[in-house]
Amino acid sequence: MAHHPTPDDLSAGVLVIVKDGDRTKWACFRCPGGCGEKLQLSLNPSRRPRWLTSLDWLLRPTVTPSINQLNDCRCHFWIKNGMVEWCADSGKKNTI
């Protein structure tokens, strides 16, 4: 896809890669934690933070590193081979 999808363009469980030519720019998907927020992860190697994506032979995505939502949802998870793996601290507020 060559443009950012709107929240209405994103179906639950679908990860969309935004490209500019051969250059991957963003990974976009709905938060799997129930809030449904549109998440946009930078894939640009010159930006921080940034994530990496890969596909297995069944075209299931893996995203690294983990995604840690800091909004009220408080989701912390990995996407591995198309599956969400929850981190132990998911749903917990950070205390200082």
Side-chain angles (χ1 to χ4, degrees), residues 12-51:
V14 174
L15 183 134
V16 174
I17 301 294
V18 178
K19 291 185 165 193
D20 183 7
D22 290 336
R23 193 167 147 200
T24 57
K25 296 180 84 175
W26 299 94
C28 302
F29 57 98
R30 288 196 174 272
C31 179
C35 71
E37 184 175 323
K38 175 185 170 185
L39 302 181
Q40 302 178 120
L41 306 178
S42 175
L43 304 177
N44 185 333
S46 64
R47 291 189 171 225
R48 300 290 183 263
R50 73 173 169 105
W51 285 261

Side-chain angles (χ1 to χ4, degrees), residues 1-81:
M1 180 174 274
H3 67 280
H4 279 274
T6 67
D8 291 337
D9 293 336
L10 293 173
S11 300
V14 174
L15 183 134
V16 174
I17 301 294
V18 178
K19 291 185 165 193
D20 183 7
D22 290 336
R23 193 167 147 200
T24 57
K25 296 180 84 175
W26 299 94
C28 302
F29 57 98
R30 288 196 174 272
C31 179
C35 71
E37 184 175 323
K38 175 185 170 185
L39 302 181
Q40 302 178 120
L41 306 178
S42 175
L43 304 177
N44 185 333
S46 64
R47 291 189 171 225
R48 300 290 183 263
R50 73 173 169 105
W51 285 261
L52 299 172
T53 59
S54 62
L55 299 173
D56 69 8
W57 66 280
L58 292 174
L59 302 179
R60 298 176 298 188
T62 294
V63 178
T64 54
S66 67
I67 298 100
N68 191 9
Q69 277 283 76
L70 299 178
N71 65 3
D72 288 338
C73 186
R74 294 288 191 223
C75 291
H76 189 191
F77 58 95
W78 294 88
I79 298 175
K80 294 181 182 177
N81 298 322

